[in-house]
Amino acid sequence: MSDALPETPITIVPVPPYDFDLTAAYATYFRGRYGTDSFENGVFRRLLDVDGVLFLSGVTSTGSTSSPRLSLILKGNSLNSFVAEKAVAQIERILGTGQDVNPFYEMATHFPVLTRLTNVLNGLHVPQTGSVFEALILAVLGQQISAQVAFKLRNALIETYGPRLTIDGVTYRAFPSPDLISSTSLEALRVIGLSARKAEYVLDVSRRITSGEIDLEALRNRSDEEIIATLTDIRGVGDWTAQWLLIRAFGRSDGFPASDLALLRMMGILHGKSNPVSPKEAIEFSKRWSPFRSYVTTYLFAAARSGHPELIAPADSPD
DNA sequence: GGCCAGGTTCGCT
DNA sequence: AGCGAACATGGC
């Protein structure tokens, strides 16, 4: 028997409730296509880099939110059961299938503002990035500038440095590894639109990872506090970036990017104000949502981006 | 044309 | 500790 499994569908059973459409849409920032990922016509695709070998994954839903089931098809040149297993694990993490949102929903029943979000966005899990490095670079590129510009910079970086694989006439890209970025120059990074400062951050962290000085993946076993301390020692990483990584790379439940302008504005609206709350107020207020602030943050952004801005409104009764 | 966007660092008090 | 400037680009 052969251990090759080309194009054999693999079944994944997420922890319910799980809304595949919503979660996959979030993974592509509700844009359909975002760098390495696409979600079009019900198919989520991503080019995976498994130990340097590239595979195209295609995921579709074959179940429902309350009884979820996903079908995964892998395509690549050297597919065998060993790498397939790793690829499945990656997809499960990226699509957050193993997360259990029920404890969060239980807490949400105590807060009208949250109940509204969890009702409409029922089954949204928090998508994860392919690696901690990927989340870090995407976050640095997104610092301060508008989502529009961040989109452009991120795509340009992936286009320029991401390894590619062509399947059925379509070229897909994976996220560039630290060593692929390490060998570039500040000038080359500036050409694709990065500021001198962002270029320094990106190059610096890539080289420190390549040299072995930093091991971001090793942080997965550490506490939230240790992760934040280690990350914020890296040039270019402040509290905002570290908190976003807790949410999107480490899958922690209580990340909260308190200096995020969009988040502060949304929380201002929840308070019935037209101006943003201060980071201090936001942290104070958010304590009642602990330890599920990653979910609150994700659901607020999902509401704003997915065509449900009305969900972000003051509660009828105070929280 | 100016100002601000899903921040961070650096160089001042 | 706390504050202001600089940073790149695009949209209003």
Side-chain angles (χ1 to χ4, degrees), chain A residues 141 152-153 156-158 160-161 187-194:
Chain A
L141 295 190
K152 190 194 136 156
L153 295 182
L157 186 87
I158 293 163
T160 308
Y161 300 102
E187 295 70 32
L189 289 169
R190 297 212 52 182
V191 166
I192 61 173
L194 276 70

Side-chain angles (χ1 to χ4, degrees), chain A residues 49 52 133 161 175-184 202-203 205-211:
Chain A
D49 182 340
F133 175 72
Y161 300 102
F175 198 82
S177 61
D179 26 318
L180 283 172
I181 297 180
S182 290
S183 50
T184 191
V202 166
L203 202 52
V205 72
S206 299
R207 288 182 174 166
R208 290 174 67 190
I209 292 169
T210 301
S211 75

Side-chain angles (χ1 to χ4, degrees), chain A residues 44-62:
Chain A
F44 175 81
R45 291 194 179 84
R46 179 181 167 101
L47 189 58
L48 300 175
D49 182 340
V50 181
D51 300 335
V53 185
L54 301 176
F55 299 96
L56 177 65
S57 58
V59 185
T60 54
S61 171
T62 57

Side-chain angles (χ1 to χ4, degrees), chain A residues 122-146:
Chain A
N122 178 48
L124 170 63
H125 288 216
V126 184
Q128 299 291 300
T129 54
S131 66
V132 177
F133 175 72
E134 176 180 336
L136 194 157
I137 298 300
L138 293 180
V140 167
L141 295 190
Q143 285 166 0
Q144 196 267 330
I145 54 181
S146 65

